[in-house]
C-alpha cells in the first residue's frame, strides 16, 4: 500500500476469485514505517467498464474505502 506521501505500508495477503470477484484478505495488520497501521481490511475487485479493476476495501467494523490498483514501478 503506497500512501499519498509516498511511504509504503505492507502486510501479507491472500487472494482468491470468488463469484467473479477478486477478493484480497490481509493475513496481518498493514504496518507503515512511521509505526501506524491499517488493521486487517479485505478488498473486493470486479472488472470495470474501462477494463481496469473496480475495487473497494472494507474493515471488519463495516467502514469502507476506495482502492486504486496500479502496476508497481
Amino acid at each position: 500500500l503506497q500512501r499519498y506521501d509516498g511511504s509504503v505500508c505492507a502486510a501479507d495477503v491472500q487472494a482468491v476469485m470468488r463469484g467473479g470477484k477478486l477478493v484480497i484478505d490481509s493475513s496481518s495488520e498493514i504496518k507503515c514505517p512511521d509505526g501506524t497501521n491499517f488493521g486487517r481490511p479485505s478488498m473486493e475487485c470486479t472488472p470495470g467498464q474501462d477494463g481496469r479493476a473496480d475495487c473497494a476495501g472494507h474493515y471488519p467494523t463495516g467502514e469502507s474505502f476506495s482502492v486504486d490498483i496500479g502496476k508497481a514501478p
Side-chain angles (χ1 to χ4, degrees):
L1 175 125
Q2 183 172 358
R3 298 192 293 186
Y4 290 109
D5 66 3
S7 62
V8 176
C9 308
D12 293 329
V13 297
Q14 299 174 3
V16 297
M17 291 298 294
R18 188 179 302 140
K21 297 179 182 180
L22 173 64
V23 179
I24 304 168
D25 287 315
S26 302
S27 303
S28 60
E29 290 187 344
I30 300 173
K31 296 181 183 178
C32 303
D34 64 4
T36 59
N37 72 65
F38 283 91
R40 293 180 65 177
S42 64
M43 291 159 265
E44 289 186 355
C45 301
T46 56
Q49 292 182 352
D50 60 359
R52 296 183 62 185
D54 184 14
C55 303
H58 306 279
Y59 288 105
T61 61
E63 183 181 0
S64 62
F65 56 94
S66 63
V67 177
D68 292 323
I69 294 182
K71 186 176 181 179

